[in-house]
Structure formats: C-alpha cells, structure tokens
Amino acid sequence: MSDKRTRTKLEDLSNEVLMDCFEYLNAPDVFYAFEQLNPRFYRLVRAIPLRLNFEDIDKIIFDRFCEKMLDYTEIQQQIYSIKLSNEQTHGQIQAFFIYFSLVEFTRLRSLTLIDIKENNMEQLSSTIPLLTKLTCLRLINSQSPSFNLLSALPRCRENIFPISSFSQNIVPLTKFSIYFCSLTDIFRLLPQMPFLQYLNVLWGSQFEPLSSAEINRLHGRVNCLERLAVSGCTIDTNDLMSVISCMTNLRSLTILVSGESDIIDASRWQQLITHSLPHLTVFRFNFSSSNQDEIARKYNDFQTDFWIVEHQWYTECLIYESQSSIFTTPWPSYRKLIGLTRNRRFNKSINQSTTSNRVKCLNIFNTELISHSWYFPNVTSLAFGSLPVIKNQIDEQNFVSSLKQVVNLLNVKHLEIPACVETARPTLLLKILRETPHVSSLTTFFCIVNLVKRNKELHQLASEMITKLNFCIRSSSSDACVNKRRDMSLIRQVFPNLEQITYSMIRFEPCLFLLKNLPRLSRMSITFYQRDEDGCFDELKNELSKLKNIFFHEELLGVRHDCKVILFSFWVSRGDVNP
C-alpha cells in the first residue's frame, strides 16, 4: 500500500519537476528505476539531458548500460556529462573507449577522467580536438604527463566565435582541472582560453620563467576567470603574482604551493589584492618553511586590519622543527592535516574550532594527539601511525573515548592500521570498529588477519563490515610476500565479503584462488616480480581471459634485482552482483 501511495505522488508531479529531480541522478539509475514504470516515464527519460558517472561503479552495471547505449544510440545524444575512472575500476577508461568514441556524444559538454593512463592519453589527444561543444574538462590523479594534451584541446570553429584578435583558434573551455602538468605551458595557453571561468592545477611544476611579453599577452584575455586553485605545485613567486594580477575579476583564490620563502609576504599579497583583485572575496593559502623564526615572524604580518577586519581572512600558524606553516582557516584543503602536535598559534578572538572542518583525511602519527585540543568532525579516512600497547580493557576504553574527542568516528569510512597492530590487543581494534560503524575499507598489514581471527566477536564484525582491503608489507623482498595457499585461505575466512583487494609485492598465482573463493570479488590489483624466463604470468592472463566481461591493466613500474616489477589489475563482472 505504501509503495502505491508513493508511486501516485510521484506520478502527480509535473514533467518539469521530474526533469529537475532527474538532473541529480546518474543516467543508469534513471533508466533502471523509471524507464519501465509507464509510457509517460519511458518517453520522459528518453528526452532529458543525462549525466553519466561511472566512477566506482559495479562492472555489471557498466557493461549493461554501455550495451544499452549501443542498442539505443539516441541515448548517447542525451549525455551532456561523462565521468570515467581507472582509480578503483581498473581499465574502465580503456573499456569505455572500446565501446564508444567520445565524438559519438555530440552534446558532450563536461568530461572528467580520473587516473588516466598513458595509452588513454594518446587516444584522448586524437579525439578531444573534435569535441567542439566541450566546456568543462577535468583530468584528476593522472600520473601520465599532460603536456601533449594541452596542444590538442578542443577549438571553437571560426564561424562561431570571432578570433581576429587571437593568433590561433580559441579554446572554448569554461572549466579546466588538470593534474601533473607544466605550469609554464598552462600559463602560455591562457590567452587562448578567454572564456575560462575556473582553473584548477594540481601537482604542476614551472620548468622555465615567463617572459614579460608572455605576461603582457594575458592582459584582457583572462577577464572571465573567477576561480583559481594552484595546489601541490612548485612555482616561481614573481611569475605567479604577475599572472594573478592579470585576473582582475577573480573572486576565489587558493594557493597551496611549495615554493620559495618569498611567497610568504603579507604586504606583497595585500598590495596585489588591493591594486589588481577588487572582487576577491575568498582567499585560501598554505605557506610553509623550514625556518621556524621566519614563520613566527611572518605570521604576525597577517594579523593586521586588512586581513582580520576588512576581509575576515583569519590565519593560524603551526611551528615544528622540520616544517612550519601559515594557513588560512578553515584548513584550505581536504587533504591530510599533519603535525598536529606542533606549537599552534591563532587569533584568540575568533573561534578556532572551525579550523579542521574541511579535513576529510587525517593522519594520527602518535597517541599523544589523543589528548590534544583539535577536533575533526568530517573525517572520512583515518590513519594511525601507531596503536598503543595497552594491557587492560579500562585503558583501551579510555583510548577510544579520547579518540572520539578528536574525531567524529561516525563519518569514518576508511581505516589505516599500522604494522605494529600485532602488538595490540584484538579487543582494542574491536572497540574502534564498534565506534566506526560505516567503515568498509581497510589498509593494513597481513598480520591483521591473525589478529582478527584471535577474537570471535572481532572476526564476525570485521567479516561483515570490510569489503575493500589493501595489504601493505614491510619490505620489497620476495620472502615478505603473502604467497602461501594457507595465507589465501585465511583471507577468505576472515574477510569473506571482499569486493576489492590490493596487494603490494605479491606473486600473482594466488589471485585465481581468491577470485574463485571470494564470490563478491570484482576488483583486484597486485604488484609482483617477474623474471624474463617465468611464463606463469601469461598463463594467469590466459586463465582470466576465459572469464566473461573482464578488463586488465598491466603497467611496468621498474626493474629490480633482475626482475620486472609489474602492476597488474583487473575488473570483472560477478553474477551475484545485482544492478
């Protein structure tokens, strides 16, 4: 009865309201949930713009929807946004390119590719110039150099935009995110991107300085840019400030760089903002230095009325022996906040408890932090540098209680447990898992298997919760690898519901055993050694190729001790995984 009432209310909504709701859903979800309800919904889902997000999706859903788009090619014309990822769904981008060419999606405006590989980059470089309607391009966590791609970005047709004032065709992008690139190339390309509103550069390097002529070319050609983020980059301070000074309509600026100490200059930033950036309302930065005295002195320069009263850009300072930093609050990045036991300085007139609100990934390097004054309400990934050796349950409970005063454990989805877990009591890990009910992913060492097995209650809880497992080892020597059938049997017993597993430096033979004995396992990544005369790897691939709907990724990481170090990953459909 309740289902009927819900359906009646849904059908009472107008097409306009339904279309607005569908915009928040993924294309496969829209089709599988609504296409077969009735003729009205069938027509509606085939007439609306669709977002296609394949990040972290089950392979059986990926295959079925790709095949559906092949059978009904008009669906391709509805897709305006595509997101593909190799990060956990190994080989997905290559698999998608086997099914389709991006040019078949004639209305494609937004493209996001995560962890793109070198062979994918070559294909993309030949295809992307043809995507003339593309306005948003994001390349995330890609270790493949993106230099060649920059020259192949899509170009506007001359009959659409006037280009008389430009030496080459205009790049039509309005949003551009790129990882692992040349900042020099990016800056030189900006004059050809006059419609760009958002630019995000992660892990770039400036290999050569810009000339004054190149800086002058930027004037009047970056006026649409409103948001700029430069993170994890090495960059020349003078060039950075010169480029930013041309972005006169900038409203949001994020600078997280490891550069020269002259970038930590409050008066110079104040002058730049006052004279060149009249619309800037959001400024986030994290500047660091190995000189403690310099950081302490320069921190005081950011406590003037310009920063505190006029703009409310509050800063904090962490002093430590090896690396000290000044940063805006809240913490300007979602990445790990480290050095939490450092000497902390902040403006006592403001609420410093919000400093850590943005932190999603947290490393706790030693247990002294547990009595520290920080609190992290939104952490989803929690890593321990060490767990304390505790001899009684009272001290265990005290440890967990104090941990809850530092981290909101209800939001944690991933745990990283250190090697010294073998010195900990199983009941400590049990108490942590009880307080982190949404944890499904675990990074640890193989000794965790024996620890979990020693406690019946911990064994049951871990077997129900953990679906993703990443094993580390202490060294790269082959004798440290987990290779024995007994070890594989233990994994199957302790973590029977695994869907994803990652090994470091393991021989490849056991993966067939795990695949056959873990019915939900669909993703695996192993790193192993192979001698030239060893043909077992080819035998493994032959065996895996007999499975239906499986994709491989193979990458040579290097050569060590006359052995190739190979990363081998696969992504496979399992019959017991329902869409």
Side-chain angles (χ1 to χ4, degrees):
M1 182 65 69
S2 61
D3 291 341
K4 185 176 181 180
R5 287 199 301 268
T6 302
R7 181 176 176 180
T8 301
K9 291 180 181 179
L10 184 65
E11 292 181 342
D12 287 343
L13 297 175
S14 67
N15 285 353
E16 291 75 14
V17 172
L18 288 171
M19 291 175 68
D20 288 342
C21 295
F22 288 160
E23 285 190 13
Y24 294 94
L25 301 177
N26 197 6
D29 298 330
V30 172
F31 272 83
Y32 293 139
F34 298 101
E35 184 188 28
Q36 301 300 323
L37 282 181
N38 56 43
R40 177 199 175 197
F41 277 91
Y42 179 89
R43 292 190 298 269
L44 188 60
V45 300
R46 291 178 175 272
I48 59 174
L50 294 171
R51 294 187 305 110
L52 182 58
N53 181 2
F54 279 149
E55 183 182 14
D56 199 26
I57 200 169
D58 288 327
K59 190 174 183 299
I60 194 168
I61 299 177
F62 173 87
D63 289 328
R64 288 180 180 177
F65 196 74
C66 286
E67 290 166 3
K68 189 176 187 69
M69 288 192 291
L70 288 176
D71 291 337
Y72 302 95
T73 56
E74 62 269 22
I75 298 177
Q76 300 174 31
Q77 314 313 312
Q78 296 176 245
I79 304 293
Y80 72 91
S81 173
I82 295 177
K83 189 177 201 179
L84 305 172
S85 174
N86 286 328
E87 196 165 52
Q88 295 181 338
T89 46
H90 312 294
Q92 185 189 99
I93 296 177
Q94 177 65 25
F96 188 84
F97 286 171
I98 291 174
Y99 274 115
F100 308 102
S101 170
L102 289 173
V103 296
E104 298 175 49
F105 299 86
T106 56
R107 298 185 179 179
L108 186 63
R109 301 197 305 270
S110 175
L111 177 63
T112 301
L113 301 173
I114 301 173
D115 194 23
I116 186 170
K117 306 301 181 183
E118 189 170 353
N119 61 324
N120 305 145
M121 193 69 78
E122 294 173 359
Q123 290 175 283
L124 186 63
S125 296
S126 63
T127 304
I128 202 168
L130 307 176
L131 306 178
T132 55
K133 293 187 178 180
L134 192 71
T135 59
C136 177
L137 177 62
R138 298 182 178 94
L139 303 176
I140 301 172
N141 292 349
S142 171
Q143 295 298 330
S144 300
S146 308
F147 312 137
N148 295 335
L149 181 63
L150 295 178
S151 61
L153 290 174
R155 308 282 168 165
C156 294
R157 294 196 301 272
E158 294 188 20
N159 61 340
I160 296 180
F161 293 107
I163 59 170
S164 57
S165 60
F166 297 86
S167 59
Q168 300 181 37
N169 289 352
I170 296 172
V171 177
L173 295 182
T174 60
K175 298 179 180 178
F176 187 31
S177 296
I178 191 166
Y179 185 97
F180 195 59
C181 66
S182 163
L183 281 163
T184 306
D185 290 344
I186 291 289
F187 290 155
R188 288 172 176 168
L189 184 65
L190 282 178
Q192 298 174 40
M193 306 173 75
F195 307 110
L196 197 65
Q197 299 172 13
Y198 170 75
L199 175 63
N200 185 13
V201 183
L202 298 93
W203 298 106
S205 296
Q206 185 176 353
F207 298 111
E208 54 182 299
L210 297 175
S211 66
S212 57
E214 289 170 329
I215 297 294
N216 290 334
R217 287 185 65 233
L218 290 170
H219 289 287
R221 301 191 180 188
V222 287
N223 289 343
C224 289
L225 198 64
E226 296 184 354
R227 296 177 60 193
L228 172 67
V230 181
S231 307
C233 300
T234 56
I235 193 169
D236 179 81
T237 300
N238 292 329
D239 281 352
L240 176 64
M241 290 193 166
S242 296
V243 169
I244 292 175
S245 69
C246 302
M247 303 172 180
T248 54
N249 289 312
L250 207 62
R251 298 180 183 275
S252 175
L253 175 61
T254 300
I255 304 293
L256 314 175
V257 299
S258 55
E260 304 168 5
S261 61
D262 60 355
I263 200 170
I264 316 174
D265 191 329
S267 61
R268 192 174 179 185
W269 281 108
Q270 178 177 339
Q271 184 178 13
L272 171 66
I273 294 166
T274 302
H275 291 90
S276 303
L277 306 177
H279 304 291
L280 191 70
T281 58
V282 176
F283 185 27
R284 303 187 182 103
F285 64 78
N286 184 12
F287 301 140
S288 59
S289 172
S290 58
N291 189 323
Q292 296 183 48
D293 294 336
E294 180 184 48
I295 285 289
R297 184 179 67 255
K298 290 189 173 183
Y299 165 73
N300 293 326
D301 296 337
F302 287 95
Q303 308 310 307
T304 64
D305 286 350
F306 173 83
W307 300 95
I308 303 298
V309 179
E310 186 175 344
H311 291 285
Q312 292 83 50
W313 291 334
Y314 305 114
T315 54
E316 289 197 19
C317 179
L318 294 178
I319 305 294
Y320 196 62
E321 293 180 359
S322 59
Q323 192 81 344
S324 302
S325 60
I326 302 171
F327 58 91
T328 49
T329 60
W331 182 253
S333 172
Y334 297 109
R335 298 176 193 154
K336 299 170 184 175
L337 179 58
I338 61 175
L340 300 180
T341 54
R342 298 178 183 183
N343 180 15
R344 182 181 177 190
R345 301 187 183 184
F346 48 83
N347 189 322
K348 292 181 173 56
S349 64
I350 64 172
N351 180 11
Q352 70 275 10
S353 65
T354 61
T355 296
S356 54
N357 284 359
R358 290 171 57 89
V359 177
K360 298 292 184 68
C361 302
L362 177 66
N363 275 359
I364 296 181
F365 287 118
N366 62 58
T367 55
E368 292 178 3
L369 171 66
I370 304 306
S371 60
H372 208 271
S373 60
W374 296 87
Y375 183 69
F376 300 88
N378 300 311
V379 166
T380 59
S381 178
L382 177 62
F384 292 96
S386 62
L387 286 180
V389 179
I390 299 176
K391 297 182 179 181
N392 58 71
Q393 292 192 16
I394 294 178
D395 288 342
E396 283 182 352
Q397 189 58 51
N398 290 337
F399 174 83
V400 174
S401 298
S402 56
L403 178 62
K404 290 169 63 177
Q405 295 177 17
V406 178
V407 183
N408 179 6
L409 297 178
L410 294 177
N411 286 330
V412 176
K413 298 179 180 179
H414 173 78
L415 279 178
E416 185 170 331
I417 306 294
C420 59
V421 70
E422 57 198 357
T423 65
R425 290 157 50 101
T427 47
L428 176 59
L429 183 56
L430 174 62
K431 288 181 173 63
I432 293 175
L433 286 182
R434 282 174 175 168
E435 299 294 341
T436 54
H438 297 111
V439 163
S440 62
S441 176
L442 180 64
T443 296
T444 187
F445 292 76
F446 187 77
C447 57
I448 191 77
V449 177
N450 292 315
L451 181 74
V452 171
K453 195 177 180 184
R454 278 161 41 195
N455 183 285
K456 183 178 181 180
E457 190 175 358
L458 174 60
H459 185 179
Q460 181 178 353
L461 187 60
S463 67
E464 294 171 354
M465 294 176 63
I466 304 302
T467 60
K468 298 179 182 179
L469 186 61
N470 178 24
F471 276 134
C472 305
I473 63 168
R474 294 182 181 79
S475 69
S476 60
S477 60
S478 59
D479 60 355
C481 296
V482 182
N483 286 310
K484 301 175 183 178
R485 175 65 65 89
R486 179 179 59 84
D487 296 331
M488 298 298 103
S489 296
L490 283 175
I491 294 173
R492 178 189 60 180
Q493 295 171 26
V494 175
F495 301 106
N497 293 311
L498 286 182
E499 300 172 7
Q500 179 176 331
I501 188 168
T502 300
Y503 276 112
S504 296
M505 301 304 174
I506 182 176
R507 289 188 61 81
F508 49 80
E509 292 92 336
C511 78
L512 278 177
F513 175 85
L514 291 176
L515 191 60
K516 293 176 180 178
N517 289 277
L518 293 173
R520 298 183 180 275
L521 186 65
S522 60
R523 309 172 197 178
M524 179 180 283
S525 181
I526 57 177
T527 307
F528 63 91
Y529 291 98
Q530 182 194 26
R531 296 188 181 277
D532 291 337
E533 65 275 10
D534 188 351
C536 295
F537 182 43
D538 293 331
E539 295 178 15
L540 169 69
K541 289 192 289 186
N542 289 335
E543 286 296 316
L544 291 175
S545 63
K546 297 176 183 178
L547 300 173
K548 293 182 179 179
N549 299 321
I550 187 168
F551 291 118
F552 307 104
H553 171 66
E554 179 183 344
E555 185 176 346
L556 179 64
L557 301 181
V559 178
R560 187 178 299 174
H561 307 304
D562 298 325
C563 292
K564 295 178 181 177
V565 183
I566 297 177
L567 171 66
F568 179 65
S569 307
F570 64 80
W571 183 39
V572 64
S573 294
R574 304 305 298 263
D576 57 345
V577 179
N578 297 316

